[in-house]
Amino acid sequence: MTNALSTAAAELDEPRRGTGTARFLLGKLGGAIGSLLLVVALGFLLFRMIPGDPVTTLTRDRPTSPEQLAQLRARLGVDQPLYRQFLDYLGGLLHGDLGTSYGYNRPVSALIGERLGPTLLLVGTATVLAVALGLWLGVRAAWRRGSLFDRTHTGIALTLWSMPQFWLGLLLLIATQGVFPSGGMRSPDTPPEFFPQLLDVAHHLVLPCVTLLAVIYAQYMLVMRSSLLGEMNAEYLTTARAKGLREDLVRRRHAVPNALLPTVTLVFLQFGLVVSGTVTVETVFSWPGLGLLTYEALRVPDLPLLQGVFVVMAGSVIVMNLIAEVLYRVLDPRVRAQ
């Protein structure tokens, strides 16, 4: 009788749980869309506060009459009122048109597409290595709390986490001068075959990847260490030890899986932030990605290009944040029950 009642109650809860999940997803998706619209509006206004006139920069060192300057302003659309420029930009954005770059005189979407690959290669490689290293060190530092290993690696992680990326990159350039390429993604004299090209890109990737890795691995390590320390005195670990399980099995099968949840969600959140934070690293190493493209656009200022890159970078943060929140609900039954 009791089992029948429990089964009936579970069947009644299923539609309610499904409705709650749909409401949760719709709410998060609506919030993400609202955040993106707010970012678009703020980005449009902020970039127009940058000192400098794009028309003056584009015609520098060229004899240009006032009539020609007026024609160029009209062609670029910067002679229109601010609200009109925003409406035109928003209309183009809704149709997938990010505008035309002032400096390159090419569609912004095409420029971003060309530079997206190098950024994803750099960020993806650094993130994978940072997650592996950070989790490994975090688990061992927590399990050996107070040991020399723990104190040493926690101190190193805190130091690297507080270090500016561009400064660390410059230090690595000075320390490894002549060992690794100082900039770019490829050498012009590399043979056109696949493997020589692959090795050449990997050789150029070392310094910018190590710079990103050194900063972001520390966050994963410290979060994993803190999360695991919070699980070490849990009753289920005492029960596992009472059953005769070895410490290694207690750590791997019970403590670490429960402590991974905050770190897994942090990986997705941080990935979006790393994509948007590569401006300084790519500029220092002349890595031809979105970060360097942003720096080049700021020098004009190339407003359509700045806006397009800003939307892509902000969008990556918003999408990763959405994935992290959904994943948190999937992995943690306590969140699903709310």
Side-chain angles (χ1 to χ4, degrees):
M1 183 67 178
T2 303
N3 292 337
L5 290 175
S6 300
T7 304
E11 290 176 352
L12 289 174
D13 284 341
E14 284 299 327
R16 191 182 310 161
R17 190 177 297 118
T19 304
T21 301
R23 189 183 302 115
F24 171 82
L25 292 176
L26 288 175
K28 293 301 179 183
L29 184 60
I33 294 173
S35 298
L36 185 60
L37 290 175
L38 183 61
V39 162
V40 168
L42 289 177
F44 178 86
L45 295 174
L46 287 175
F47 287 130
R48 274 154 181 76
M49 297 179 184
I50 298 175
D53 180 10
V55 174
T56 302
T57 305
L58 291 172
T59 57
R60 183 184 302 161
D61 301 326
R62 298 177 184 176
T64 310
S65 65
E67 292 77 12
Q68 291 174 321
L69 290 175
Q71 291 176 1
L72 183 57
R73 290 182 186 279
R75 184 169 66 85
L76 298 180
V78 295
D79 62 334
Q80 299 291 327
L82 195 60
Y83 78 91
R84 185 65 199 177
Q85 294 182 43
F86 178 70
L87 291 177
D88 291 341
Y89 170 66
L90 192 60
L93 195 62
L94 292 175
H95 290 86
D97 182 13
L98 296 176
T100 302
S101 167
Y102 294 164
Y104 291 91
N105 196 27
R106 293 179 56 198
V108 170
S109 56
L111 291 170
I112 292 176
E114 292 174 0
R115 302 293 187 98
L116 186 60
T119 292
L120 290 179
L121 173 63
L122 173 59
V123 171
T125 305
T127 300
V128 170
L129 294 175
V131 170
L133 181 62
L135 296 187
W136 184 79
L137 290 175
V139 169
R140 277 150 184 78
W143 213 252
R144 304 176 187 177
R145 182 180 183 181
S147 66
L148 178 62
F149 182 93
D150 179 29
R151 295 197 303 271
T152 301
H153 285 282
T154 302
I156 293 173
L158 288 171
T159 302
L160 291 174
W161 195 3
S162 61
M163 193 173 293
Q165 291 179 350
F166 76 91
W167 188 68
L168 179 59
L170 292 173
L171 289 181
L172 289 176
L173 276 176
I174 296 172
T176 61
Q177 190 172 9
V179 179
F180 295 102
S182 59
M185 186 175 173
R186 291 183 176 87
S187 300
D189 56 346
T190 303
E193 289 77 14
F194 175 75
F195 284 106
Q197 287 286 334
L198 180 64
L199 292 175
D200 184 47
V201 171
H203 196 211
H204 284 77
L205 182 64
V206 171
L207 287 184
C209 182
V210 169
T211 303
L212 277 179
L213 167 65
V215 175
I216 62 178
Y217 100 89
Q219 302 176 50
Y220 301 131
M221 177 197 164
L222 294 172
V223 170
M224 187 64 199
R225 178 183 180 274
S226 175
S227 181
L228 187 56
L229 285 175
E231 298 287 336
M232 287 180 63
N233 295 323
E235 293 182 357
Y236 68 89
L237 295 185
T238 305
T239 303
R241 293 188 181 99
K243 291 179 178 179
L245 290 180
R246 300 192 312 271
E247 278 296 299
D248 182 57
L249 292 177
V250 171
R251 183 179 70 240
R252 287 191 291 109
R253 292 185 180 179
H254 297 280
V256 171
N258 284 282
L260 269 175
L261 183 59
T263 311
V264 169
T265 54
L266 177 67
V267 168
F268 285 91
L269 290 172
Q270 194 63 32
F271 186 81
L273 293 173
V274 171
V275 169
S276 61
T278 56
V279 176
T280 55
V281 173
E282 291 188 0
T283 302
V284 168
F285 294 102
S286 300
W287 187 261
L290 293 179
L292 183 60
L293 187 65
T294 303
Y295 173 75
E296 294 169 349
L298 283 168
R299 298 173 62 183
V300 176
D302 194 332
L303 299 180
L305 186 53
L306 284 173
Q307 291 165 178
V309 174
F310 183 72
V311 167
V312 170
M313 289 185 171
S316 68
V317 175
I318 293 171
V319 169
M320 289 301 165
N321 182 52
L322 178 63
I323 293 175
E325 290 181 327
V326 173
L327 187 63
Y328 202 94
R329 184 180 177 90
V330 170
L331 295 177
D332 193 342
R334 294 169 297 182
V335 178
R336 291 199 302 271
Q338 294 176 358

